[in-house]
Amino acid sequence: MLPTLLKPGWTFCYACEANSPPRSFHCMTCNKCILKRDHHCMFTSQCIGHSNYRFYFWLVFYGWCGTMFCAINTVPYVLNLLDGFSIWKLPYFILPLFCFVLQYIPFFTAISSFITLLSVVFSCALLALLFWHCSHIYKGQTTFESSHRIYDYDLGWKENIVQSFGTKWYLTWICPWINSPLPSDGIEFQTKANYENSKDQ
C-alpha cells in the first residue's frame, strides 16, 4: 500500500500500513503506533504515551516516595545492627549476601542490609527518572523530541503541565484516576507558533 497525501506533520507507518499523526511512533514491542509516544516501559509492559503518561509519572513519583521512606527508616536500623559505620564495614552494605556466605555477618543482618541497599539504589534511580520527566513536562517534550531538540510544542510551563496532566492537573497527584481531561485528542496538538499567535489576537 502506498501512502496517501499526508497532512503537515503526519507520517506514513510502513509497519501499520497507515498514516501516523504528529508525535506518534511505531513500537516494535506493542506492534502498533502509539499516540504521543514517549517510550516503552518494561516495568509496566506497555508504551507510555498520550493517554497514560500521567499514570506513569505518578507511579514513578510514589515509587520514589516509597523507596525513600524505606531507605530513611532502614539505614539507621542497619547501622545499629553493624554497630556503626566505618570504611571496613563498607562491604557489609555493598555486598551483604556475599559477606553472609563468608560468615562475616549473620543472615538477618545480611537480609536487612540487602533491603536497605535496594531501597537506596532504587530511590536514586527513580529520583533521576523523576527529574528527567519533570524536565520533559516543563519543556512540553517527549523523550524523542528532547533527544532531537524539538521545541515545537513548548507552550510555557503552565500550559505544558495541563497538556500532560489535564485540566485538573492540581488534583491528579492525589489520584491519577481523577477525571482530568487532556486538551488534545492525541492526534492534533497545539504548536508553540499557533499558541503565541492566538495570545496576540
Side-chain angles (χ1 to χ4, degrees), residues 20-164:
S20 179
R23 311 182 85 180
S24 300
F25 291 96
H26 187 86
C27 176
M28 299 304 293
T29 305
C30 298
N31 196 30
K32 59 182 177 181
C33 284
I34 306 298
L35 297 177
K36 195 185 173 184
R37 182 179 186 270
D38 190 84
H39 68 285
H40 185 89
C41 177
M42 62 180 180
F43 297 106
T44 60
S45 189
Q46 61 180 315
C47 268
I48 307 303
H50 174 72
S51 60
N52 62 356
Y53 186 81
R54 75 163 172 251
F55 298 92
Y56 169 79
F57 180 86
W58 292 122
L59 171 68
V60 173
F61 175 77
Y62 283 112
W64 171 73
C65 289
T67 53
M68 180 59 68
F69 177 81
C70 183
I72 290 172
N73 283 278
T74 55
V75 166
Y77 179 73
V78 171
L79 287 174
N80 185 55
L81 288 176
L82 296 173
D83 296 324
F85 177 80
S86 68
I87 192 67
W88 305 108
K89 294 180 181 178
L90 190 60
Y92 300 162
F93 290 94
I94 301 175
L95 301 168
L97 299 181
F98 181 72
C99 292
F100 164 71
V101 171
L102 297 178
Q103 297 183 348
Y104 286 117
I105 54 176
F107 177 74
F108 182 78
T109 303
I111 291 298
S112 300
S113 184
F114 181 68
I115 293 172
T116 302
L117 175 66
L118 288 181
S119 300
V120 172
V121 169
F122 274 99
S123 64
C124 292
L126 288 172
L127 183 61
L129 193 60
L130 199 60
F131 276 115
W132 171 258
H133 284 287
C134 281
S135 174
H136 290 175
I137 293 170
Y138 183 80
K139 298 174 183 177
Q141 295 176 315
T142 61
T143 298
F144 175 84
E145 292 164 355
S146 176
S147 61
H148 289 77
R149 299 187 179 183
I150 299 172
Y151 301 95
D152 295 345
Y153 303 97
D154 184 2
L155 309 180
W157 67 270
K158 288 184 179 179
E159 187 60 29
N160 291 340
I161 291 174
V162 175
Q163 293 289 326
S164 296

Side-chain angles (χ1 to χ4, degrees), residues 11-26:
T11 56
F12 184 79
C13 177
Y14 288 92
C16 293
E17 296 186 347
N19 294 337
S20 179
R23 311 182 85 180
S24 300
F25 291 96
H26 187 86

Side-chain angles (χ1 to χ4, degrees), residues 175-194:
C175 178
W177 283 279
I178 289 175
N179 185 29
S180 181
L182 295 170
S184 171
D185 58 1
I187 297 176
E188 295 183 357
F189 296 91
Q190 195 168 27
T191 61
K192 183 177 182 179
N194 293 338

